[in-house]
């Protein structure tokens, strides 16, 4: 593999970290070797690796320390593991587990729109909820995940934008499109109170494996996104942060920060609300960055959920 395939930051591991990290207190298992090397970053040392990218001289370097990794259940991470960095999903802080399999989307279909949790499908299949501020790129991401240009349009039809929309994947799990929040130009009385509308779903939906909270990485941190993330953290709802629009690399006049800096700011601001570091992935629906990584991460969460 070549250095150009690396995510645009380098991993820095602490010199004297604890010997292992476990996200959940599970029995230790032998270290799992990667099964799909092409999807992994290529760092293979525990020392900081300076990466020179001549095409992007201003590129800031983010650092991920061992204690900032998301380690799935039943997965052991040792600081002296020479292949640890090859087990981290590209452009994320997620370590792969033995449950990361069957990630491909073969079939996707819209099933139903519900206005109450009780009306959602009752076949017991695991599900992942996509949620984010209006315009964050949720529909684009959903279409990219299922490789269908217009599937998510279903959720944008009149009457469905404020619903819980279920899409069945491979007849075995669901992607759930939740209403966008914080739509700035809507009159106050029409704006969704996301807390009232979705709180019940988040708390009572027993098939919900994880919320995927979409955050626009091309703009500075928004208060409403922080509030949403902190509410999920405080209520211990499993959450993965999906940073969208990471292809937008040019400095903006307003804020002037690059995606990596916005991502880093966001994480710093929410860390106090979480007992352990939430998983996060950088994505772009323009370049399909992060698409395979999201699907692998969903697969490992789902397969673990199904087994327990
Ligand atoms: P939604 O309201 O959250 O469903 O957002 P959409 O998927 O409709 O996207 C909102 C706008 O952002 C559209 O103009 C998209 O073309 C654009 N967009 C969505 N994802 C990306 C992305 O990854 N990169 C860039 N550059 N633009 C995006």
């Amino acid at each position: 593999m070549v250095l150009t395939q690396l995510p645009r930051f380098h991993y820095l591991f602490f010199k004297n970290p604890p010997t292992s990290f476990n996200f959940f207190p599970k029995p230790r298992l032998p270290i799992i070797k990667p099964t799909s090397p092409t999807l992994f970053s290529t760092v293979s040392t525990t020392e900081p690796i300076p990466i020179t990218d001549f095409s992007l001289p201003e590129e800031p370097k983010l650092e991920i320390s061992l204690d900032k990794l998301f380690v799935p259940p039943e997965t052991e991470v040792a600081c002296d593991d020479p292949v640890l960095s090859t087990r981290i999903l590209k452009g994320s802080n997620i370590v792969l587990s033995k449950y990361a399999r069957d990630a491909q989307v073969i079939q996707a279909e819209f099933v139903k729109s519900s206005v109450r949790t009780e009306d959602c499908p009752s076949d017991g299949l695991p599900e992942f909820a996509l949620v984010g501020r209006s315009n964050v790129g949720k529909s684009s991401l959903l279409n990219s995940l299922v490789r269908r240009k217009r599937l998510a349009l279903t959720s944008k039809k009149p009457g469905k934008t404020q619903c819980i929309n279920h899409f069945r994947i491979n007849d075995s799990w669901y992607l759930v499109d939740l209403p966008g929040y914080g739509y700035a130009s809507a009159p106050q009385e029409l704006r969704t109170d996301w807390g009232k509308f979705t709180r019940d779903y988040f708390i009572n939906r027993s098939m919900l494996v994880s919320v995927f909270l979409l955050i626009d990485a091309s703009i500075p941190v928004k208060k409403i996104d922080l509030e949403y993330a902190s509410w999920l953290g405080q209520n211990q709802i499993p959450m993965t942060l999906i940073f969208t629009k990471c292809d937008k690399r040019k400095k903006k006049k307003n804020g002037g920060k690059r995606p990596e800096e916005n991502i880093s700011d966001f994480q710093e601001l929410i860390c106090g609300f979480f007992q352990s570091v939430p998983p996060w992935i950088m994505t772009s629906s323009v370049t399909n960055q992060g698409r395979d990584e999201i699907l692998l991460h969903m697969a490992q969460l789902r397969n673990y959920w199904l087994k327990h």
Side-chain angles (χ1 to χ4, degrees):
M1 288 216 207
V2 291
L3 280 179
T4 51
Q5 286 177 300
L6 284 165
R8 299 194 188 287
F9 48 77
H10 71 274
Y11 299 103
L12 171 66
F13 296 134
F14 285 151
K15 281 241 177 348
N16 297 306
T19 50
S20 72
F21 294 88
N22 253 331
F23 187 63
F24 297 114
K26 294 280 174 192
R28 290 182 174 188
L29 288 178
I31 286 168
I32 300 131
K33 300 271 191 267
T35 51
S36 175
T38 53
L39 290 171
F40 297 82
S41 61
T42 54
V43 188
S44 60
T45 174
T46 54
E47 289 302 311
I49 299 184
I51 298 165
T52 311
D53 187 337
F54 295 107
S55 61
L56 294 162
E58 293 174 58
E59 202 62 51
K61 289 184 173 62
L62 297 189
E63 294 168 349
I64 301 182
S65 54
L66 264 183
D67 63 339
K68 298 275 166 57
L69 290 177
F70 169 78
V71 183
E74 295 182 13
T75 307
E76 186 155 302
V77 165
C79 63
D80 55 355
D81 176 1
V83 296
L84 169 60
S85 52
T86 65
R87 297 165 55 206
I88 301 168
L89 279 174
K90 199 160 71 172
S92 85
N93 70 334
I94 298 171
V95 178
L96 277 175
S97 74
K98 62 178 178 178
Y99 291 100
R101 55 173 189 270
D102 305 325
Q104 270 185 324
V105 172
I106 295 155
Q107 189 202 8
E109 59 179 335
F110 171 70
V111 176
K112 73 180 292 196
S113 294
S114 316
V115 286
R116 299 178 312 165
T117 311
E118 308 89 272
D119 301 329
C120 293
S122 55
D123 48 15
L125 296 177
E127 65 192 40
F128 299 94
L130 302 182
V131 69
R133 228 163 17 83
S134 300
N135 223 38
V136 70
K138 184 157 56 74
S139 309
S140 307
L141 184 80
L142 204 156
N143 288 333
S144 153
L145 289 175
V146 300
R147 292 188 199 261
R148 294 257 297 273
K149 280 193 179 145
R150 299 165 66 82
L151 190 69
L153 270 184
T154 317
S155 320
K156 290 207 164 181
K157 284 184 184 159
K160 294 194 172 167
T161 54
Q162 299 302 306
C163 292
I164 304 168
N165 294 300
H166 275 77
F167 296 86
R168 193 162 46 223
I169 312 297
N170 302 347
D171 270 335
S172 58
W173 56 281
Y174 287 106
L175 274 174
V176 182
D177 193 357
L178 294 179
Y181 56 86
Y183 187 50
S185 59
Q188 187 64 44
E189 65 273 18
L190 288 182
R191 283 188 207 169
T192 305
D193 179 342
W194 67 263
K196 274 189 199 141
F197 185 80
T198 49
R199 183 179 307 176
D200 183 63
Y201 169 84
F202 287 140
I203 290 175
N204 296 317
R205 184 70 173 158
S206 56
M207 298 88 176
L208 179 62
V209 180
S210 178
V211 175
F212 278 55
L213 176 60
L214 276 59
I215 306 292
D216 188 339
S218 71
I219 55 172
V221 174
K222 294 263 185 197
K223 188 164 164 265
I224 194 165
D225 290 334
L226 291 173
E227 285 169 359
Y228 212 115
S230 72
W231 186 88
L232 292 170
Q234 282 162 350
N235 286 278
Q236 300 190 345
I237 312 285
M239 179 193 76
T240 298
L241 289 170
I242 302 295
F243 291 104
T244 63
K245 308 191 186 182
C246 292
D247 59 285
K248 286 186 154 186
R249 313 206 61 80
K250 289 210 172 113
K251 280 196 171 182
K252 294 208 162 214
K253 276 185 194 159
N254 183 15
K257 291 195 173 177
R258 292 177 181 279
E260 291 84 351
E261 295 170 273
N262 292 325
I263 289 170
S264 174
D265 289 351
F266 193 87
Q267 282 166 354
E268 224 165 89
L269 288 163
I270 61 157
C271 63
F273 300 114
F274 293 85
Q275 284 173 359
S276 47
V277 178
W280 57 264
I281 307 179
M282 296 171 74
T283 71
S284 161
S285 299
V286 171
T287 63
N288 279 332
Q289 177 189 2
R291 179 190 180 278
D292 294 335
E293 286 76 7
I294 290 179
L295 291 175
L296 264 174
H297 177 55
M298 284 179 170
Q300 68 178 3
L301 295 179
R302 192 172 66 240
N303 291 326
Y304 177 82
W305 186 90
L306 285 167
K307 226 179 158 218
H308 293 84

